Amino acid sequence: MKDISYRVALGGIVSALCLLTMFLAGIMPALYLVLPMIAGILMMIIAVEVNTKWAFLTYIAVSLLSMFITFDKEAALIFILLFGHYPILRFYIQKIKGKLLRNAIKLAVCNICVLSFFYITVYLFGLDQMLEEFDEIGKYGGLLMLAAANVIFVFYDINLDACHILYKKRLKPKFKRKK
């Protein structure tokens, strides 16, 4: 177990970097999905370096702050509902035996989070323009968007695995503390 000052410092640095990426989502609206994904990858570093409980605490802090200080509330909400907690939750899902069951659980988490995002955005925040966009696509517009979200999520999950391996094998040894 790392000492408390190390955990607090690392949590603060990762929180600042996450908030910076969330802030940039308001400046570069075309990246409103990519930047929360990057912030989620940073959450994974806390889980690897300290533990998942500390990572969840950092996630909660970043989530609260991102709702208050970022311009793009939609990007902050997608971070809160999916990309922020999934990289941490993934550590538990990866322990499940059976690849088919593990992948089914990952997709179930994705679909629950995406549907929650949709309903919160439309009905709580009152962004009815989302419903109008689905009407333009046709009666299957919602299903097509959900399918696209699942494809994006699968690629995100693959990239999380690659980033985890890259961090553990290449970056972590370079930052190893001297005793």
Side-chain angles (χ1 to χ4, degrees):
M1 186 66 103
K2 309 281 184 185
D3 58 335
I4 192 75
S5 60
Y6 175 78
R7 290 184 280 178
V8 169
L10 185 63
I13 291 168
V14 168
S15 295
L17 290 172
C18 287
L19 287 170
L20 177 66
T21 60
M22 298 306 297
F23 185 77
L24 288 174
I27 296 171
M28 296 179 277
L31 299 176
Y32 88 99
L33 283 177
V34 174
L35 292 169
M37 287 178 184
I38 292 170
I41 291 170
L42 292 170
M43 286 289 132
M44 184 182 62
I45 293 172
I46 294 285
V48 170
E49 284 294 320
V50 183
N51 58 38
T52 54
K53 291 176 186 170
W54 198 264
F56 273 118
L57 287 173
T58 306
Y59 156 74
I60 291 168
V62 171
S63 297
L64 289 172
L65 288 171
S66 68
M67 285 305 288
F68 290 120
I69 66 170
T70 60
F71 299 122
D72 193 345
K73 301 301 182 210
E74 202 172 348
L77 191 60
I78 197 71
F79 172 79
I80 293 167
L81 292 175
L82 180 61
F83 297 126
H85 68 81
Y86 177 73
I88 305 164
L89 185 63
R90 188 175 182 276
F91 281 95
Y92 297 108
I93 295 173
Q94 288 298 103
K95 294 178 183 176
I96 296 172
K97 303 283 187 219
K99 187 175 182 177
L100 186 62
L101 178 62
R102 189 170 52 240
N103 289 335
I105 291 171
K106 288 178 182 181
L107 287 175
V109 167
C110 169
N111 287 314
I112 289 168
C113 293
V114 168
L115 290 173
S116 299
F117 170 75
F118 174 76
Y119 285 111
I120 289 172
T121 302
V122 170
Y123 297 111
L124 188 64
F125 289 154
L127 297 176
D128 295 331
Q129 63 192 15
M130 226 177 190
L131 291 175
E132 294 169 8
E133 290 174 9
F134 287 145
D135 286 341
E136 291 175 11
I137 298 172
K139 67 180 184 178
Y140 297 111
L143 291 175
L144 289 172
M145 294 305 284
L146 187 61
N150 278 281
V151 169
I152 290 169
F153 178 78
V154 167
F155 284 118
Y156 180 63
D157 188 55
I158 291 168
N159 284 323
L160 274 177
D161 198 33
C163 288
H164 184 253
I165 292 168
L166 175 74
Y167 180 74
K168 293 273 287 193
K169 292 194 178 198
R170 298 267 179 139
L171 297 175
K172 189 175 177 176
K174 291 182 181 181
F175 296 120
K176 196 166 191 147
R177 294 189 303 169
K178 307 251 189 225
K179 293 182 179 183

